[in-house]
């Protein structure tokens, strides 16, 4: 099955069209469900192992780790499948996974602790703590608060500027923050929700400055160590030095393939945490205990935890297809480092995460003292969605549905529809049209205000596009129609081929180059559409 390769599917699907169901009070893994729960469930008795193994097969996922906590107890913290295709080493409860944007909750928690200590306030201007901070608009620069950094309402478009860190780039965190001032907003300030990563990098910078040490060291000292999350790392490099970590897997065409890790050390604050089922269970139990550690220490005040789980930015709710109708929430919003929604009268705090080769989801039902974490070493949101519904059914006394079958069918239908759209666009093109200029005229260096340099050069008989600060973003251009080409990235697991269109001046010279992903399944962090690339005149001889 083809994967829908997008963080949006992972990070936001639950909040937009989510349906969660839990059936039954907590019982230990391996025990039979109580009779009252099994009687109503077509999938009873509950068998976590059977469900997860079915998901591995159905969604073509090599490995999954699951953590379930209830009423302060760890119900499950275990692994399934393998860490790496072609290697029999199993996923365990201590296997590390990159959890990507689930790191945002740790950033929010670290800021909450600083608020508790009086070292900052949520509504402090960002410039109070980072005097050099600057957005495109001077009013936004002065008005943006620490709270605004976490709530996805800055006016930036979806994933704006992510190409500065995704895929792995040579930008530093400070350079990314400095270049925010060149990214034009998509909407007015605080007008609407649009998920971004760059402002969490800014938040991470504030934490580092206050601590006098890197974000990762501060998070380890203040959160990970007190919780006993001793296996968790705050960098991919540190993870790769451990004995039990998972390899990333992506789809190349329809085949699941091991791919190289994608270190993004310049995006700390937005991403950075690599953790296991056993460790994330400790994190969820602390949050569900009102911010207290197992020994009774108040790590985060209950007041600030409530603030993190209070709606800050409304999110639109989509209408799911009939088989998924039960998943529609009555409200959806973003808090501070968490998405929020309801299910059957219960509030749910959750988040998703995605990096190349890894998807994750963490969700909690505070009133039920229930937490669920699902980590995968593949880019597949359906596998997590199916399991979260199944598990929510199990722990909230809701008659179970065959979510695995329902979600699988929905995912396949969406992928088939997207393939048809791409095919229609290809068949409708003016295949016999020719570029307006000789191919050599399109070659040279182009500059974007926030990203920088992109080049097109003749190499070995092909026109090759290179993003100068992103070593792996290299692809071959092929003519599509008129003055539009398609760049086919040499790293095929990117699944991010893009249209490259040239606009001409009246004299026939190139005015600018614009890009746009070919497929809607392309991850939104390939924000090619936000680039405005203009040709750089060749140096005078």
């Amino acid at each position: 099955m083809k994967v829908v390769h997008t963080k949006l599917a992972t990070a936001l699907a639950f909040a937009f069209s989510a349906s969660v169901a839990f059936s039954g009070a907590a019982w230990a893994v391996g025990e039979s469900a109580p009779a009252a729960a099994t009687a109503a469930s077509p999938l009873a008795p509950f068998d976590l192992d059977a469900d997860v193994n079915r998901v591995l097969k159905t969604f073509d996922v090599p490995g999954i780790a699951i953590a379930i906590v209830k009423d302060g107890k760890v119900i499950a913290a275990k692994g399934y499948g393998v860490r790496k295709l072609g290697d029999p080493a199993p996923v365990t409860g201590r296997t590390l996974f990159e959890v990507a944007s689930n790191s945002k909750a740790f950033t929010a928690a670290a800021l909450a602790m600083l608020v508790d200590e009086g070292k900052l306030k949520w509504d402090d201007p960002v410039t109070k703590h980072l005097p050099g901070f600057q957005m495109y608009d001077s009013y936004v620069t002065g008005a943006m608060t620490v709270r605004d950094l976490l709530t996805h309402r800055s006016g930036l478009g979806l994933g704006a500027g992510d190409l500065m860190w995704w895929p792995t780039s040579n930008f530093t965190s400070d350079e990314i923050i400095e270049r925010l001032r060149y990214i034009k907003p998509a909407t007015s300030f605080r007008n609407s929700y649009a998920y971004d990563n760059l402002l969490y990098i800014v938040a991470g910078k504030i934490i580092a400055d206050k601590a006098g040490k890197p974000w990762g060291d501060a998070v380890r000292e203040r959160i990970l160590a007190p919780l006993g999350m001793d296996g968790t790392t705050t960098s991919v490099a540190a993870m790769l030095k451990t004995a039990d970590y998972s390899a990333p897997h992506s789809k190349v065409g329809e085949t699941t393939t091991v791919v190289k890790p994608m270190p993004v050390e310049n995006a700390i604050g937005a991403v950075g945490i690599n953790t296991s089922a056993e460790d994330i269970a400790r994190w969820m139990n602390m949050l569900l205990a009102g911010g207290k550690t197992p020994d009774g220490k108040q790590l985060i005040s209950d007041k600030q935890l409530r603030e993190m789980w209070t709606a800050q930015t409304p999110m639109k709710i989509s209408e799911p297809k009939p088989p998924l109708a039960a998943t529609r929430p009555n409200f959806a919003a973003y808090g501070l480092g968490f998405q929020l929604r309801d299910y059957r009268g219960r509030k749910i705090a959750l988040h998703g995460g995605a990096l190349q080769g890894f998807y994750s989801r963490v969700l909690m039902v505070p009133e039920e003292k229930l937490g669920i974490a699902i980590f995968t070493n593949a880019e597949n949101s359906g596998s997590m969605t199916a399991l979260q519904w199944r598990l929510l059914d199990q722990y909230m006394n809701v008659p179970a549905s065959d979510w695995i079958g329902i979600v699988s069918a929905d995912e396949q239908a969406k992928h088939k529809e997207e393939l048809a759209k791409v095919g229609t666009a290809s068949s409708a093109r003016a295949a016999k049209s020719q570029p307006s200029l000789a191919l050599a005229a399109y070659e040279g260096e182009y500059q974007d205000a926030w990203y920088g340099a992109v080049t097109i050069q003749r190499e070995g008989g092909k026109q090759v596009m290179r993003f100068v600060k992103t070593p792996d973003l290299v692809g071959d251009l092929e003519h599509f129609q008129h003055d539009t080409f398609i760049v086919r990235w040499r790293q095929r697991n990117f699944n991010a081929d893009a249209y490259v269109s040239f606009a001409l001046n009246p004299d026939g010279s190139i005015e600018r180059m614009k890009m746009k992903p070919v497929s809607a399944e392309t991850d939104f962090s390939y924000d090619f559409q936000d680039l405005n690339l203009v040709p750089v005149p060749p140096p005078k001889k």
Side-chain angles (χ1 to χ4, degrees), residues 107 214 403 496 514:
T107 294
W403 291 116
K514 296 289 287 183

Side-chain angles (χ1 to χ4, degrees), residues 226-228 282 285-286 289 292-297:
L227 291 178
R282 296 180 175 93
N285 266 334
M286 180 275 291
K292 290 184 178 180
T293 62
D295 60 5
K297 178 184 177 182

Side-chain angles (χ1 to χ4, degrees), residues 228-406:
M229 297 176 68
D230 299 332
T232 298
T233 74
T234 56
S235 75
V236 171
M239 181 188 75
L240 296 177
K241 294 178 182 178
T242 67
D244 191 350
Y245 65 88
S246 184
H249 299 79
S250 297
K251 288 280 190 179
V252 176
E254 302 295 328
T255 303
T256 299
T257 305
V258 179
V259 297
K260 66 181 183 181
M262 189 176 84
V264 285
E265 311 303 330
N266 52 4
I268 53 172
V271 298
I273 297 291
N274 312 286
T275 193
S276 66
E278 290 186 11
D279 275 6
I280 205 69
R282 296 180 175 93
W283 165 248
M284 293 191 295
N285 266 334
M286 180 275 291
L287 295 172
L288 292 166
K292 290 184 178 180
T293 62
D295 60 5
K297 178 184 177 182
Q298 194 75 46
L299 197 65
I300 307 168
S301 71
D302 185 61
K303 177 182 178 181
Q304 297 311 326
L305 184 55
R306 289 199 305 272
E307 191 74 12
M308 291 165 64
W309 287 352
T310 295
Q312 310 285 332
T313 306
M315 298 168 65
K316 292 181 180 179
I317 298 171
S318 63
E319 292 296 332
K321 293 180 180 179
L324 292 161
T327 69
R328 188 189 187 281
N330 291 303
F331 86 91
Y334 202 92
L336 302 175
F338 288 92
Q339 296 158 16
L340 305 166
R341 57 147 292 156
D342 67 294
Y343 178 71
R344 295 186 181 270
R346 293 289 186 264
K347 181 168 73 174
I348 296 174
L350 67 145
H351 215 284
L355 278 171
Q356 181 172 281
F358 293 98
Y359 275 17
S360 62
R361 195 165 298 169
V362 178
L363 62 99
M364 283 158 285
V365 188
E367 292 169 276
E368 300 291 339
K369 302 295 183 185
L370 172 68
I372 298 170
I374 306 166
F375 302 157
T376 72
N377 56 9
E379 296 163 357
N380 185 281
S381 61
S383 61
M384 299 181 302
T385 300
L387 281 173
Q388 72 184 23
W389 299 165
R390 177 67 182 110
L391 292 170
L392 285 171
D393 276 349
Q394 190 63 34
Y395 287 94
M396 288 181 70
N397 277 318
V398 177
S401 300
D402 181 15
W403 291 116
I404 298 172
I406 292 170

